[in-house]
Amino acid sequence: MKFKVINGPNLNFLGIREPDIYGQLTLADINDKIATFAKENDHEASFFQSNSEGEIIDAIQAAHHENFDGIIINPGAYTHYSYAIHDALKSVTPPAVEIHLSAVHTREEFRKISVTAPACVGQISGFGADGYILGMIALERRQ
Ligand code: DQA
């Protein structure tokens, strides 16, 4: 399968950003883990990160045009208020899984609301970098 892995705002700061919550791994470290898993399982993974909502929407639409089989998305804080990302995920053919490194439901009230998860086939939260791999497994088994 061909997966597009999309990370939203501030996730380029992993490793620096609140390591007690988000861990010590950088986004490059996480992407390496995902790429290794993908290779071992005959999948392809391509990676995109942006701090801008419009660029994330463009990446979701590109995944459609480029015939990706699935989207693994951590929308960062956009999770909690971006109806535009919700609409983009709803518009495209590839199914998406929403990932959160942290256990968002155990944190501040505003993090318990996801406006993007209803446009995804499921949400995985609280398993750190493994969440991205669990998302790929979930989409693989759904096929
Ligand atoms: C996050 C959780 C969000 O609430 C936060 O804004 C992030 C990261 C996570 O991966 O745990 O940027 O999506």
Side-chain angles (χ1 to χ4, degrees):
M1 289 175 74
K2 219 167 86 153
F3 293 101
K4 181 108 164 197
V5 181
I6 300 175
N7 278 286
N10 298 308
L11 292 162
N12 57 318
F13 239 54
L14 290 174
I16 301 169
R17 175 188 186 196
E18 300 179 276
D20 47 320
I21 297 174
Y22 297 115
Q24 309 276 352
L25 298 182
T26 65
L27 187 57
D29 295 333
I30 292 176
N31 288 347
D32 280 350
K33 272 173 172 277
I34 298 168
T36 302
F37 173 84
K39 207 171 165 196
E40 285 169 358
N41 290 277
D42 289 328
H43 297 310
E44 278 173 45
S46 22
F47 302 96
F48 179 81
Q49 188 278 330
S50 174
N51 293 325
S52 306
E53 189 177 32
E55 288 183 2
I56 293 168
I57 292 164
D58 291 343
I60 292 167
Q61 293 179 355
H64 174 92
H65 289 308
E66 293 160 20
N67 297 315
F68 277 81
D69 300 303
I71 296 172
I72 306 292
I73 183 164
N74 182 345
Y78 282 136
T79 302
H80 313 302
Y81 64 95
S82 177
Y83 297 110
I85 292 177
H86 169 110
D87 284 351
L89 290 167
K90 275 284 219 197
S91 318
V92 298
T93 302
V97 178
E98 179 170 301
I99 310 299
H100 298 289
L101 294 153
S102 65
V104 281
H105 298 283
T106 67
R107 299 181 62 198
E108 300 96 317
E109 283 304 309
F110 77 88
R111 292 189 208 277
K112 295 180 184 169
I113 292 165
S114 171
V115 302
T116 47
C120 296
V121 295
Q123 185 199 53
I124 296 168
S125 156
F127 296 102
D130 287 341
Y132 295 88
I133 287 166
L134 294 171
M136 290 168 78
I137 294 169
L139 287 180
E140 184 186 7
R141 295 199 173 189
R142 219 177 145 263
Q143 277 249 315

